[in-house]
Amino acid sequence: MKSILLILTACTLVFYSCTNATEQTLTENEKETLAQEVETTINKMMDGMKNIDVEAAFESNFLMDENFKYVDIYGKTLKKDGFRKAAHGVFDNVEKIEFEFTTPIIRIIDRKVAVVNLTYSGKYYFPGSTLAWSPCGSTLVLQKIDNKWKVIHFHESLQESEFVTTEL
């Protein structure tokens, strides 16, 4: 009887430890590995922006479903279609882009959620005009879905009172 009780107790402990593995605290090595994965996604986004490539910048790195939210610099919340329209409205009409990005600050919340903060500024060169803007702060929430990090929420805010200056 003691051996059966001992075996049942051992099985219960093994089962409990297996079912709670995802709730265990992350080690520093796990956090570092996850942060590197997130950084890869953010770097792909920044490279796509620099190369005027909406697909590489956003479509492939953002979860473009009904739950996606983008908060623009004016505080307006856009869903996936509004964000796509805004991104294409700029990227499809610009001749050249210059961006300066700060190093992303990555916070791993758990094995499937991360928050990234970064600031960027730049210039859009359109035919006949140039738009330059002061530093814009960005917060991105990423979720690991099907073993890939995807941006599920993107919020931008201005660091100064004026967004753009136009050079004609």
Side-chain angles (χ1 to χ4, degrees), residues 52-72:
I52 315 173
D53 186 341
V54 173
E55 171 61 31
F58 308 117
E59 298 284 348
S60 63
N61 298 306
F62 286 36
L63 182 65
M64 293 299 203
D65 70 1
E66 66 282 349
N67 295 313
F68 175 80
K69 301 284 186 292
Y70 167 66
V71 181
D72 71 9

Side-chain angles (χ1 to χ4, degrees), residues 24-39 106-115 144 149:
Q24 294 175 355
T25 304
L26 291 167
T27 66
E28 289 306 312
N29 285 343
E30 287 174 309
K31 286 181 183 179
E32 187 175 313
T33 299
L34 292 170
Q36 288 171 353
E37 293 174 4
V38 169
E39 185 174 25
I106 300 169
R107 179 174 174 220
I108 301 299
I109 305 300
D110 62 30
R111 287 174 177 81
K112 294 194 178 262
V113 178
V115 177
K144 197 169 192 178
W149 287 98

